[in-house]
Amino acid sequence: LTYIGLWCILFIMIDLILLGFLSYKPMTGYDIKREMDHSTTHFWHAHHSQIYTTLRRMEKEALLTSQMVMEEGQPNRRVYNITDEGKKKLQDWLDKPLTELDDYKCELLVKVFFSGFREDEDVLNELILQRKLHTQHLSVYQELDKFLESHIKTHADPRMIIYSRFTLQMGLRYERMFIGWLDDTIEEIKNM
Amino acid sequence: LTYIGLWCILFIMIDLILLGFLSYKPMTGYDIKREMDHSTTHFWHAHHSQIYTTLRRMEKEALLTSQMVMEEGQPNRRVYNITDEGKKKLQDWLDKPLTELDDYKCELLVKVFFSGFREDEDVLNELILQRKLHTQHLSVYQELDKFLESHIKTHADPRMIIYSRFTLQMGLRYERMFIGWLDDTIEEIKNM
DNA sequence: CAGTCCATGTAAGTAGTTACATGATTGC
DNA sequence: GCAATCATGTAACTACTTACATGGACTG
């Protein structure tokens, strides 16, 4: 098991996300958590506990350095910087193309799959609730998209914004696709 | 931490999937793995090691029973049956509506998010490769869908088939949505 | 005679989750 | 007075992954 690490570098997603954010600018764990909640949540999320422990571990691995910055009236901040080794790791991962598909997990679909045992009425109510939740998500993404669109020209590095907007476009499409499926499935159950 | 189990029953997805399959008929771990690979993979997958260990644990929890069936010329089979307690657990989970959205994780989107650092050419190649993979998946789902459609009337319990087909419809929509996003993103990068 | 299918397991590790813990400041 | 924000951590656990392990029957 252990010798594999020598041959094939392990790319752990949370590591690469932290390296990605820190390649833009020095940040604290708190900063990264906040940014993730506003930009990557719809395709990758992390709890603060995982972020803090991973940053610590990556500092030991010489991918990052950190300094405590003393604040008055506010808690002190541990600011992380990416090292050359960290930059290399990020670039190595980016350069290596994905040759497989991500696997998708969806609890709702598991429930639907086994819903032959349920009352149609109950399934319908569940799908209607899900539709509400997805509609809320969709409108959040629409707001975010407007915001990104307005900042795309004023930003110093538009490439960053352009690529992050591609991911948001996927968020929008995903929600619309999901709502479409919910609508059609609701109709089909009603007509059963 | 421990007292929570007393108040709030834990619903672990793999448990519920195994209960779901065994509520149709008695099966072995191998059978369930094979069925999952043909029906639930696109929204939930499991390795055989997890299936075997979970079945064992659930037997201890009195949700299942098992008997070894001796075979000649072939390996012996451990056939599992669901108990009344197991049926109750499955039904309790089905009856409790989901009040949140599943969270979605996608490594490709993480890469795209940080692809401002890459050559457009490299990103394009990666997206084109992903397009190929998604197209392959799509055609597998289309075959499966044809198969389900032809069996929907001859099957003893069409409700089962109808609900499982709903999940396949999602698979089809998901792949089409993904390919659409890939096409548009590829075009936008080419025109950059 | 190499490879896949049948069939069932164990061992070891880790990524990620949930809860515990603290405490000053700002705002309704 | 209550809740949220800022800010950083530790402790404990578990769902899931990867690899190890076996061995007969069938197929091209």
Side-chain angles (χ1 to χ4, degrees):
Chain A
L1 280 173
T2 46
Y3 72 92
I4 287 167
L6 301 170
W7 298 100
C8 149
I9 301 148
L10 268 176
F11 293 123
I12 303 163
M13 212 38 50
I14 187 65
D15 292 18
L16 300 157
I17 291 170
L18 299 177
L19 289 171
F21 277 111
L22 292 171
S23 70
Y24 294 142
K25 59 172 186 275
M27 288 169 98
T28 66
Y30 193 86
D31 294 336
I32 295 174
K33 169 66 176 158
R34 207 207 298 98
E35 293 255 312
M36 282 183 72
D37 286 346
H38 290 121
S39 59
T40 73
T41 337
H42 67 289
F43 55 89
W44 209 280
H45 67 97
H47 296 267
H48 77 267
S49 57
Q50 195 187 7
I51 293 172
Y52 285 119
T53 50
T54 307
L55 287 169
R56 278 284 165 109
R57 194 200 70 225
M58 285 167 74
E59 191 178 7
K60 277 186 203 154
E61 291 170 6
L63 302 167
L64 306 175
T65 58
S66 79
Q67 309 91 239
M68 276 303 262
V69 177
M70 303 301 164
E71 303 276 347
E72 280 175 44
Q74 235 121 347
N76 299 329
R77 298 152 46 82
R78 182 178 295 276
V79 179
Y80 285 90
N81 279 267
I82 192 167
T83 63
D84 288 341
E85 220 176 307
K87 280 177 192 164
K88 194 187 169 296
K89 179 156 189 170
L90 177 63
Q91 204 63 54
D92 285 349
W93 171 67
L94 286 169
D95 288 343
K96 198 183 144 193
L98 277 175
T99 53
E100 283 177 36
L101 292 188
D102 285 294
D103 36 59
Y104 178 67
K105 293 206 163 188
C106 182
E107 187 175 339
L108 181 72
L109 290 181
V110 179
K111 279 192 91 170
V112 170
F113 188 82
F114 293 116
S115 286
F117 300 121
R118 302 166 76 190
E119 297 294 321
D120 289 339
E121 191 68 21
D122 293 339
V123 183
L124 275 177
N125 287 332
E126 181 153 46
L127 297 184
I128 288 163
L129 174 60
Q130 286 279 316
R131 197 196 185 282
K132 205 173 162 185
L133 296 169
H134 279 287
T135 307
Q136 284 166 6
H137 266 231
L138 180 59
S139 60
V140 171
Y141 296 161
Q142 282 167 338
E143 289 300 313
L144 266 169
D145 192 46
K146 274 184 201 163
F147 178 81
L148 275 191
E149 199 180 12
S150 65
H151 280 244
I152 208 157
K153 279 161 195 166
T154 58
H155 199 279
D157 188 5
R159 280 182 69 84
M160 244 177 73
I161 306 280
I162 288 165
Y163 275 100
S164 87
R165 197 160 170 230
F166 287 150
T167 66
L168 189 56
Q169 295 295 332
M170 174 65 100
L172 288 163
R173 275 169 194 261
Y174 179 78
E175 294 305 332
R176 287 197 194 107
M177 180 277 294
F178 215 112
I179 291 167
W181 175 80
L182 284 166
D183 284 340
D184 288 2
T185 306
I186 288 167
E187 272 313 298
E188 284 197 52
I189 294 173
K190 277 183 182 168
N191 298 331
M192 244 154 69
Chain B
L1 281 174
T2 45
Y3 73 91
I4 287 168
L6 302 171
W7 299 100
C8 147
I9 302 148
L10 269 176
F11 291 124
I12 303 164
M13 211 40 47
I14 187 67
D15 291 20
L16 299 157
I17 291 170
L18 300 177
L19 289 171
F21 277 110
L22 292 171
S23 70
Y24 294 141
K25 59 173 186 273
M27 289 169 97
T28 67
Y30 193 86
D31 293 335
I32 294 174
K33 170 67 177 157
R34 207 208 298 98
E35 293 255 312
M36 280 183 72
D37 287 345
H38 289 122
S39 58
T40 73
T41 337
H42 67 289
F43 56 89
W44 209 280
H45 67 97
H47 295 267
H48 76 268
S49 56
Q50 193 188 8
I51 292 171
Y52 286 121
T53 50
T54 306
L55 287 170
R56 278 284 164 109
R57 194 200 70 226
M58 285 167 76
E59 189 176 11
K60 276 185 204 155
E61 291 170 5
L63 301 167
L64 306 174
T65 58
S66 81
Q67 310 91 238
M68 277 302 262
V69 177
M70 303 302 165
E71 303 276 347
E72 277 175 47
Q74 233 121 350
N76 298 331
R77 299 152 43 83
R78 182 179 297 276
V79 179
Y80 285 90
N81 279 267
I82 193 167
T83 64
D84 288 341
E85 220 176 307
K87 281 178 192 164
K88 194 187 168 296
K89 179 158 188 167
L90 176 63
Q91 203 64 54
D92 285 348
W93 170 68
L94 286 170
D95 287 344
K96 198 181 142 194
L98 277 175
T99 54
E100 283 176 37
L101 292 188
D102 286 293
D103 37 59
Y104 179 66
K105 295 207 163 187
C106 181
E107 187 175 340
L108 181 72
L109 290 181
V110 179
K111 281 193 91 170
V112 171
F113 188 81
F114 292 115
S115 286
F117 300 120
R118 301 166 77 189
E119 296 294 321
D120 288 340
E121 192 67 22
D122 293 339
V123 183
L124 276 176
N125 287 334
E126 181 153 45
L127 296 184
I128 288 162
L129 174 59
Q130 285 279 316
R131 196 193 186 285
K132 204 173 162 185
L133 296 170
H134 279 286
T135 308
Q136 284 167 5
H137 266 230
L138 180 60
S139 61
V140 172
Y141 296 162
Q142 281 166 339
E143 289 300 314
L144 267 169
D145 192 46
K146 273 184 203 161
F147 179 81
L148 276 192
E149 197 180 14
S150 66
H151 280 244
I152 208 157
K153 278 160 193 168
T154 57
H155 199 278
D157 186 5
R159 280 182 68 84
M160 246 177 71
I161 306 280
I162 288 166
Y163 274 99
S164 88
R165 197 161 170 229
F166 286 150
T167 67
L168 188 57
Q169 295 295 332
M170 174 66 99
L172 288 164
R173 277 170 192 261
Y174 180 78
E175 294 305 332
R176 287 197 194 108
M177 181 277 295
F178 214 112
I179 291 166
W181 175 81
L182 284 166
D183 284 341
D184 288 3
T185 305
I186 287 166
E187 273 312 299
E188 283 196 53
I189 294 173
K190 278 184 183 168
N191 299 330
M192 243 154 69

